[in-house]
Amino acid sequence: MAAGARPAGAVDEASAAQAVRRMFDSIAPRYDLLNHLLSANVDRLWWRRTARRFRDVLARPDSAILDVCCGTGDLTLALLKLRPRGARPILAVDFAHSMLQRAAGKFAARSAASGRDAHKAAAPTAIPIEADALHLPLRNAALDLVVTSFGFRNLANYGAGLAEFHRVLKPGGQLGILEFSEPEGFFGVAYGLYFHRLLPAIGRAICGKDGPYNYLPSSVGDFPPPAEMLPLLRTAGFVECAWQPYTFGIAGLYTAVRPS
Ligand SMILES: C[S@@+](CC[C@H](N)C(=O)[O-])C[C@H]1O[C@@H](n2cnc3c(N)ncnc32)[C@H](O)[C@@H]1O
């Protein structure tokens, strides 16, 4: 089983993390466009569906929430839509500066657009934090919810990532990991052709580089399937571990709880 992401040329965890950070910094200007195009906008549905899964914790104004590997912030925005006015800000962590800068711009634009009514409590917002998901600048047992979308697969060490999420969650806190997966059957074959052949070619044409959109299908191929991820979550100390496939299993949401 893959212990963590290994982009081409990476020889250890440090060089893998550096290669991932550089790659996302380099594609940041085209990331949103390519994401929406290559997923035919289904990514937006997945973020909304993930947010709805945690609507109870999002609805509590004092919940402490982290979107880790937030990238350009679209999952954070979907989470914010389910936060009440006056709620604590969501923490949004990423280690790629250019990705996080875009997220910060979106959070600021949202606050500017929704903060005009002076009679109401402040619109919920998010705080961008440049940090490594494997070394979060947060105290133990600080959070009610940790979520991540399409970032976990890129961590240089999956076990260390889960241990860090477990550390920062309160007992009873919830974890959500939205990730790609490889569907099975006839649909899986057709999708595999698109994902492994067509997608890298489109990505290359738009972003003008080879690496990132070759890395995407290979990193999904190397990522542990649900039958391996669920035991990994249990080994890290989580309970109530489950996987919910989205869109015929192209993606899926892992959910788990730090025991009380
Ligand atoms: C595919 S993007 C996903 C972004 C966003 N969550 C989304 O759904 O569009 C993966 C993000 O994970 C970030 N990332 C990968 N490894 C990380 C780490 N160790 N610490 C912090 N961020 C990391 C990358 O910088 C990148 O922005």
Side-chain angles (χ1 to χ4, degrees):
M1 188 204 320
R6 286 293 175 275
V11 291
D12 55 17
E13 287 182 19
S15 60
Q18 193 181 48
V20 165
R21 186 166 49 74
R22 285 201 179 133
M23 183 177 66
F24 282 104
D25 266 331
S26 78
I27 61 169
R30 295 253 179 276
Y31 178 81
D32 285 347
L33 170 71
L34 270 163
N35 238 6
H36 301 326
L37 190 74
L38 294 173
S39 74
N41 263 335
V42 179
D43 51 357
R44 294 181 200 274
L45 297 180
W46 292 335
W47 291 316
R48 283 207 290 267
R49 194 168 166 189
T50 299
R52 280 201 306 272
R53 168 64 180 72
F54 297 108
R55 66 163 75 77
D56 290 351
V57 59
L58 289 165
R60 295 199 302 267
D62 58 346
S63 299
I65 296 166
L66 168 69
D67 176 10
V68 60
C69 302
C70 69
T72 59
D74 285 332
L75 174 64
T76 320
L77 292 176
L79 300 171
L80 281 172
K81 287 202 175 121
L82 300 185
R83 293 290 275 157
R85 281 191 165 260
R88 265 169 97 153
I90 292 177
L91 307 177
V93 162
D94 202 284
F95 70 177
H97 182 77
S98 305
M99 295 288 278
L100 196 65
Q101 246 182 345
R102 279 165 175 79
K106 290 181 192 176
F107 303 155
R110 184 181 192 278
S111 296
S114 54
R116 289 194 188 115
D117 189 344
H119 302 293
K120 290 187 182 163
T125 187
I127 300 174
I129 302 170
E130 195 168 323
D132 188 336
L134 300 184
H135 306 282
L136 291 167
L138 297 169
R139 62 181 167 78
N140 293 350
L143 302 172
D144 297 284
L145 173 65
V146 172
V147 274
T148 180
S149 60
F150 309 115
F152 187 80
R153 187 187 72 251
N154 300 292
L155 298 185
N157 185 321
Y158 302 139
L162 293 178
E164 188 63 349
F165 301 163
H166 189 276
R167 181 186 72 77
V168 296
L169 276 169
K170 295 176 186 171
Q174 299 186 58
L175 172 66
I177 300 176
L178 176 61
E179 253 316 335
F180 286 114
S181 66
E182 297 212 289
E184 292 173 351
F186 175 73
F187 177 75
V189 174
Y191 180 74
L193 282 175
Y194 163 73
F195 198 63
H196 290 276
R197 305 269 159 122
L198 195 57
L199 179 145
I202 300 173
R204 192 162 44 240
I206 294 183
C207 111
K209 320 183 165 43
D210 229 7
Y213 288 89
N214 286 339
Y215 168 73
L216 173 61
S218 74
S219 67
V220 173
D222 292 344
F223 188 63
E228 292 175 20
M229 260 301 279
L230 291 170
L232 212 56
L233 281 158
R234 288 185 201 109
T235 305
F238 289 97
V239 294
E240 298 176 42
C241 307
W243 180 70
Q244 169 76 54
Y246 286 2
T247 319
F248 309 111
I250 294 173
L253 180 67
Y254 291 95
T255 50
V257 175
R258 177 176 170 172
S260 300

